[in-house]
Amino acid sequence: MDIRIYIPPEEAHPRFQTAGRVTGATSAIVVERLYTPGYWEAQVPTEARHAGEIAEARLVRLDDGAWGIVDTLRYAQDSGGDILTASGRLLSGLVLDRLTIPPVFNAVSGAQGYDTVNGSTETCMKHFVAANLCNASQPTRLVWGLEVAPDLGRGTAADKYMSRHDIVADVLADLGEAAGLGYDIVPDLPRHKLVFDVIAGEDHTAGQSQRVRVIFDIDRKTALSQTYDHDLQDEKNVFYTTMEGAELADEALTVTYIRDGETEARGLHRRETHLSVSGETPAAGQEYAELKRKALMEAERYRAAESMTVEIAESPYIYREHFRLGDLVTVRNCRWGVTMDARVTEMKTEYSSSGIRHTVTLGTAPLTVFGRLRRQIKGG
């Protein structure tokens, strides 16, 4: 694995500086994710050339692909020698370090409202990044050199989001998952900039003919192994929804919703939950419309999880050449009777002495314990 090391631009030195290149990594892993920041880790002999240049807060380019931040360094010595294990977030993880701060502060009451944005999903996502990582009116919050790519209006055309003191990464996940948009931050080395942009993905499924078709299938020898998950554990289909803000419980506005296009589930198929949604007080006459909009946005997070994890062959499909993170592809397993047109939501690349292994996740994987906890906290 090739690791190129850079000192990022900052106010005192507003240019990228090349710190070195390490080619002696013994093993490494890179996990790229569409809706949330990924991570990386590499083991390097301490005597490898330029190994000492791998330092906290520096940037690394991993095998001419993903970009990472050095967050952690661990040194270990045994009979096999001295090994440096460096790890951290991918560069998109910068959005984990900022909260959404409302733009208006009432000096008398000390109260802050919500930061509200209307527009396409892309417009909303880029607003929160620009406001909280690129805001020149609060220079201590700036990520030096970070800029937001031009807005192309992708995603849901009439989206809306209200946020206050949320982690920017969580806001981007809420907005992006509902619209099928991911995001990344990539250095523009000649301009000495970091650029945030959304990832919309392309259609490479078997049913289209405009682009190369990508079909992962063991029988076609384009997949080495497959794991299919269909998980109803966290699915909900009936939503009792309350708008926060009422002083008394009996004054709270509560309405029952189901997703558009679904019929109300009965008996063993009925899975209820309560949603408590918050935001600025809607305009008079818009209370029910706003409650429904927010309820249906949250409802998307409670669909049954369906995903396929595939260890892919090195050919004929090459990652970043024939397909990328965010693209729609087809995956099949005739023995299971499963065919999915699904989005590439994660790519794991493992480097070792035996070679390079690529494992792709398609669709929505079941929630982890931490995912369930976050959902519970978010729902109050």
Side-chain angles (χ1 to χ4, degrees):
M1 182 190 212
D2 185 90
I3 302 174
R4 296 176 186 265
I5 310 157
Y6 296 88
I7 301 172
E10 55 186 8
E11 187 171 8
H13 303 282
R15 301 174 67 83
F16 278 102
Q17 302 173 63
T18 302
R21 177 186 179 190
V22 174
T23 58
T26 56
S27 64
I29 181 172
V30 179
V31 177
E32 301 168 71
R33 292 173 173 154
L34 183 63
Y35 301 124
T36 58
Y39 64 91
W40 68 279
E41 181 178 285
Q43 287 74 44
V44 178
T46 56
E47 67 269 17
R49 189 166 184 259
H50 294 148
E53 297 296 336
I54 301 176
E56 292 178 4
R58 290 189 173 179
L59 305 187
V60 291
R61 189 173 189 183
L62 306 159
D63 216 26
D64 289 329
W67 285 84
I69 310 167
V70 181
D71 288 326
T72 305
L73 299 172
R74 184 175 73 245
Y75 292 88
Q77 182 179 22
D78 58 21
S79 59
D82 286 356
I83 295 293
L84 164 64
T85 300
S87 61
R89 301 158 288 167
L90 295 188
L91 194 50
S92 57
L94 289 173
V95 297
L96 290 164
D97 295 335
R98 296 291 186 276
L99 299 180
T100 56
I101 303 300
V104 178
F105 180 78
N106 188 316
V108 177
S109 66
Q112 287 180 296
Y114 285 83
D115 188 357
T116 304
V117 61
N118 297 271
S120 70
T121 307
E122 179 175 0
T123 298
C124 295
M125 293 173 73
K126 289 184 172 179
H127 164 81
F128 287 108
V129 172
N132 295 286
L133 285 84
C134 310
N135 190 346
S137 66
Q138 300 182 64
T140 56
R141 303 189 73 216
L142 282 172
V143 173
W144 191 264
L146 179 65
E147 64 181 26
V148 175
D151 185 356
L152 302 181
R154 291 168 286 188
T156 304
D159 217 334
K160 180 180 180 181
Y161 203 90
M162 292 176 283
S163 180
R164 171 181 159 185
H165 301 157
D166 297 312
I167 298 172
V168 173
D170 293 344
V171 173
L172 298 181
D174 283 347
L175 284 161
E177 284 189 66
L181 290 182
Y183 63 92
D184 200 2
I185 295 175
V186 178
D188 183 339
L189 294 177
R191 296 174 54 237
H192 303 283
K193 297 288 185 181
L194 302 171
V195 182
F196 173 91
D197 204 358
V198 303
I199 299 173
E202 296 181 336
D203 187 353
H204 288 274
T205 58
Q208 58 81 43
S209 57
Q210 301 300 311
R211 303 178 183 87
V212 172
R213 296 182 178 93
V214 177
I215 305 169
F216 295 123
D217 187 336
I218 289 178
D219 291 342
R220 287 172 172 255
K221 302 187 186 308
T222 55
L224 302 177
S225 65
Q226 295 175 324
T227 302
Y228 174 68
D229 284 292
H230 188 258
D231 191 330
L232 300 178
Q233 182 178 189
D234 298 298
E235 184 204 16
K236 305 296 178 185
N237 51 32
V238 179
F239 304 90
Y240 296 92
T241 309
T242 301
M243 180 71 79
E244 291 181 355
E247 294 183 7
L248 301 174
D250 60 359
E251 294 179 349
L253 176 61
T254 301
V255 182
T256 304
Y257 294 106
I258 61 173
R259 297 185 192 92
D260 291 339
E262 295 184 4
T263 58
E264 187 169 352
R266 296 171 172 270
L268 294 178
H269 300 287
R270 188 178 180 93
R271 295 167 177 263
E272 301 176 345
T273 193
H274 177 260
L275 301 177
S276 180
V277 299
S278 61
E280 294 181 333
T281 304
Q286 296 298 311
E287 294 88 352
Y288 285 96
E290 178 63 9
L291 185 64
K292 181 177 181 179
R293 187 192 70 81
K294 298 207 74 173
L296 294 182
M297 174 188 278
E298 281 295 307
E300 289 301 309
R301 301 171 61 82
Y302 290 84
R303 288 188 179 275
E306 184 178 26
S307 66
M308 186 85 87
T309 302
V310 183
E311 183 183 351
I312 62 176
E314 292 186 4
S315 61
Y317 308 126
I318 300 173
Y319 181 52
R320 291 196 177 89
E321 181 177 336
H322 299 110
F323 73 100
R324 293 174 175 268
L325 201 68
D327 287 352
L328 289 167
V329 302
T330 298
V331 59
R332 292 175 181 162
N333 189 298
C334 295
R335 292 176 178 82
W336 302 336
V338 173
T339 297
M340 293 172 57
D341 289 339
R343 197 173 298 279
V344 178
T345 54
E346 180 177 297
M347 171 61 80
K348 178 192 290 186
T349 306
E350 298 170 275
Y351 302 82
S352 67
S353 57
S354 58
I356 302 175
R357 179 184 181 191
H358 293 291
T359 304
V360 60
T361 299
L362 307 156
T364 305
L367 286 176
T368 63
V369 171
F370 295 105
R372 292 192 185 96
L373 179 61
R374 177 175 172 262
R375 175 183 284 179
Q376 291 167 7
I377 293 171
K378 184 176 176 64

